Amino acid sequence: MIVRLRSTTSPLITALAVFLFFIPQHLCAQPARRAIVLAWDGTVPSFVHAMLRQGKLPNLAKLVETGAFADDVKPVFPSKTAPGFASLITGAPPRITGITGNRVPRAPRAQFTILESLPGFSAAPLRAETIWAAARRADKRSIVSHIPTFAGERAEGTVRFSGYTLIAGRDGIVTKNSAQSGGDDAWQNAPASMARPIEISFSIGETRFFGLLVDDPDDAQDGYDTLVLATARDGAQIKARLKPAPAGVGGEFSWSQPIAVKSTKNQDAKLYFRLFDLKPDGSDFFLYHTRPVRDLPLAADGHSPASPTVLSFVGNGASILLHQGALGRTIPNGGNGSAEERYLDTLAFAQHQLIETNRWAMKNLPWDLYFAYTPFPDEAEHLWRGYLDESLPTYNRDLAERLRPYLERAYRSSDEELGLLLRERSSGTLFALISDHGLQGIFKRVALNVALQREGLLVLDRQGRVDLTKTQVLYPAVNNGYLLINSKDRKDGIVAADERAALVAKIRNLLLTLRDGERPVVQAVFDAKEDGPAMGIGGEVGGDLYIE
């Protein structure tokens, strides 16, 4: 029932949060007229403290020095991004907000089984009022910049940048091996080249790209030094002219402008290209592209128009590609750090796009409350926290010391965004930095459903599917830290109300006796029926039994 992981990269979200508030000293005796709230996703307080002691987060240090700081704040249960932000923006626990996980059981119960769920982001209805809805009732204007969006959220009169709802595809890598070689058709208006151009072609969504590797006459470098991309074999239709540049300082200048594409669903979208490498003999190249994303719907209301950088959302770095090894061999797998450098280049570009959005919006749009978000350091924490956790038996000091600087750079990029917002704030502006959860490393996973199955509480049919006619309880695949009882108030439920207490006792005894060697696996079991109101757990779309 306990499965040992092959690596230590998988994180376990834990109950941690960081809150900082800043009010200029000369305003302490008077109410602030405006407020800025910046959310760092997935911040680990112990790591923040260590970087502060080493002087590596200068903007955060200024905030701590002149404001109030608390790192013992308890987040919601489960401490995940969707329920965390739902509670942060409403002040209500998951039992009230209805966002009980990154996926949420469907309601009403009589119409849906314990196997059915909705995404906590954008699909599950938010059942509590947001702070910007309350602000609107007080005639305060709000801008919400890319904070996670929830279904049913009232945002009338609020400027809402919802880039994560506009994603229309995945990011990817194109190399000589993955691209098709050139055809027989000649190019019109072909770009000048000192060597015979080498044609490649590839598709992203419904858009076909044709490329030429050329030896630019105006570039002193020997050999092939440029990749031009077009949507037809015509030099007059070139969309990007890319020079190879390894990841590192100045990498933000090596990205293309937003390029229009058609997604797989034939939606208009844009993406960016970055050429990390091109061999002088043209034998290979390494081209990255961001996810296709639809433009932000910003109306021209007399303010300075938003730049293409603002309109074309990026949102994340290439963490999935790094984890898959697509950016090159990672350090834990014997790499030299070039893959991690490439990832951090994509992280910095995503952060740059968020910073430019905030810079433009704060200067050009009216607001009293400004809410900003960054997915970092969470994304990088998910990649590397497991390698840095000294409490794990798999901890390797040499490996941790090689990876730590990369994670620190992710935190420093968030500190740079903090610095921008601090500089942009006007006199009389309250500033708050918040985070939704922390992380810790793991090296094993617990197969709770196997334990339930062995006890006869969960039954599978011949096809390996959950048999609801015989199953009494389930730990859903959405991994929210709670179990669902197949009660009769649910569709196809079998557990009667008068049977619940005995079943709960049986489940609690089973879970509390699970052992990893001599160590208990489950520390506590909370019954939402009894503990729900006090802990803010449970409710119509919450769990029945929560585990720690």
Side-chain angles (χ1 to χ4, degrees):
M1 290 177 291
I2 299 175
V3 181
R4 182 176 296 274
L5 301 182
R6 287 176 290 179
S7 71
T8 59
T9 58
S10 299
L12 175 66
I13 296 175
T14 187
L16 298 170
V18 176
F19 285 82
L20 296 124
F21 298 92
F22 171 80
I23 305 176
Q25 292 182 356
H26 68 280
L27 291 176
C28 290
Q30 55 183 301
R33 297 187 298 274
R34 304 171 99 187
I36 300 172
V37 180
L38 171 61
W40 288 4
D41 202 328
T43 308
V44 175
S46 60
F47 202 71
V48 168
H49 278 298
M51 292 189 69
L52 285 172
R53 288 193 298 269
Q54 297 164 6
K56 295 178 178 179
L57 298 174
N59 296 302
L60 181 55
K62 293 177 184 177
L63 194 62
V64 173
E65 181 181 355
T66 55
F69 177 63
D71 64 353
D72 58 351
V73 181
K74 292 183 179 180
V76 299
F77 193 176
S79 54
K80 290 193 170 187
T81 296
F85 273 102
S87 291
L88 285 171
I89 66 176
T90 64
R95 182 181 181 90
I96 304 299
T97 66
I99 309 300
T100 61
N102 287 347
R103 289 193 69 90
V104 175
R106 299 199 67 174
R109 293 188 174 201
Q111 296 179 20
F112 298 98
T113 71
I114 57 174
L115 301 175
E116 298 175 87
S117 63
L118 288 171
F121 303 106
S122 74
L126 183 67
R127 302 183 176 195
E129 184 181 55
T130 64
I131 187 173
W132 41 86
R136 184 61 180 172
R137 288 190 285 103
D139 294 325
K140 298 294 184 182
R141 300 159 298 183
S142 300
I143 297 176
V144 184
S145 181
H146 301 303
I147 284 179
T149 304
F150 301 97
E153 173 192 318
R154 290 184 53 199
E156 295 86 352
T158 299
V159 176
R160 191 69 155 94
F161 302 155
S162 300
Y164 291 99
T165 67
L166 303 174
I167 295 170
R170 298 180 179 179
D171 58 350
I173 300 295
V174 183
T175 65
K176 191 74 175 292
N177 287 335
S178 64
Q180 294 184 6
S181 301
D184 297 327
D185 295 340
W187 274 60
Q188 300 179 14
N189 308 303
S193 178
M194 299 293 289
R196 182 178 179 179
I198 300 175
E199 185 184 77
I200 55 112
S201 63
F202 58 91
S203 294
I204 299 176
E206 300 296 327
T207 300
R208 188 73 176 169
F209 283 98
F210 299 90
L212 286 178
L213 306 180
V214 301
D215 182 357
D216 185 355
D218 296 326
D219 192 322
Q221 178 177 319
D222 293 333
Y224 292 97
D225 51 36
T226 306
L227 169 62
V228 296
L229 294 175
T231 51
R233 291 186 172 93
D234 188 346
Q237 298 188 40
I238 290 176
K239 305 301 181 184
R241 185 181 294 269
L242 302 168
K243 296 286 187 179
V249 178
E252 64 270 19
F253 301 109
S254 301
W255 292 81
S256 73
Q257 291 295 308
I259 307 298
V261 297
K262 288 284 188 181
S263 74
T264 51
K265 296 182 179 180
N266 209 34
Q267 297 174 316
D268 291 324
K270 290 190 175 73
L271 51 74
Y272 299 84
F273 286 106
R274 170 75 159 88
L275 184 63
F276 283 105
D277 191 24
L278 171 57
K279 302 300 182 185
D281 62 0
S283 60
D284 204 0
F285 62 90
F286 195 95
L287 178 67
Y288 170 77
H289 67 82
T290 61
R291 298 175 297 201
V293 178
R294 304 190 305 278
D295 272 358
L296 286 175
L298 296 179
D301 295 326
H303 49 68
S304 298
S307 69
T309 300
V310 173
L311 294 173
S312 301
F313 180 69
V314 178
N316 292 94
S319 61
I320 295 176
L321 294 176
L322 177 68
H323 181 70
Q324 294 172 340
L327 296 183
R329 183 176 294 180
T330 61
I331 288 175
N333 291 311
N336 60 7
S338 60
E340 285 79 6
E341 290 289 346
R342 286 170 174 169
Y343 164 68
L344 286 176
D345 202 279
T346 67
L347 179 154
F349 187 63
Q351 197 81 283
H352 168 74
Q353 193 274 333
L354 293 170
I355 288 173
E356 290 304 306
T357 298
N358 293 328
R359 190 196 310 273
W360 174 82
M362 292 177 71
K363 288 184 176 180
N364 291 283
L365 301 178
W367 59 275
D368 300 294
L369 286 84
Y370 194 95
F371 301 88
Y373 168 80
T374 175
F376 310 109
D378 176 86
E379 184 181 281
E381 280 281 358
H382 277 270
L383 290 169
W384 295 315
R385 174 53 50 191
Y387 295 107
L388 303 186
D389 193 330
E390 298 182 23
S391 68
L392 300 182
T394 51
Y395 176 73
N396 181 302
R397 182 175 299 278
D398 291 340
L399 182 58
E401 289 179 353
R402 291 186 66 190
L403 291 172
R404 182 181 300 274
Y406 296 105
L407 184 56
E408 288 181 349
R409 284 163 63 183
Y411 274 81
R412 288 166 62 184
S413 75
S414 294
D415 190 67
E416 291 172 5
E417 181 177 16
L418 169 62
L420 164 76
L421 295 178
L422 287 174
R423 291 189 297 273
E424 294 291 331
R425 78 185 189 279
S426 59
S427 176
T429 301
L430 179 147
F431 194 100
L433 174 65
I434 62 176
S435 187
D436 53 339
H437 63 77
L439 289 89
Q440 69 183 46
I442 64 169
F443 71 106
K444 293 182 180 179
R445 289 195 178 102
V446 183
L448 292 177
N449 282 329
V450 174
L452 296 174
Q453 187 179 2
R454 289 177 178 175
E455 196 69 17
L457 300 174
L458 187 156
V459 179
L460 304 181
D461 63 20
R462 292 182 178 179
Q463 287 75 41
R465 299 171 300 189
V466 175
D467 184 347
L468 292 177
T469 66
K470 301 176 181 178
T471 291
Q472 300 176 70
V473 64
L474 171 75
Y475 186 78
V478 296
N479 193 29
N480 282 334
Y482 56 67
L483 294 89
L484 297 179
I485 293 175
N486 193 24
S487 51
K488 285 190 173 181
D489 62 336
R490 301 180 187 272
K491 181 180 178 181
D492 297 336
I494 62 171
V495 178
D498 59 358
E499 299 172 327
R500 188 184 189 281
L503 176 61
V504 168
K506 187 174 183 179
I507 296 168
R508 177 179 276 116
N509 180 67
L510 168 65
L511 296 178
L512 293 178
T513 55
L514 290 177
R515 292 291 185 271
D516 176 17
E518 298 298 321
R519 182 176 58 182
V521 173
V522 177
Q523 303 295 324
V525 179
F526 304 100
D527 186 349
K529 185 175 181 180
E530 299 176 357
D531 306 312
M535 297 180 63
I537 59 176
E540 184 183 20
V541 292
D544 293 304
L545 295 175
Y546 288 69
I547 59 174
E548 182 179 301

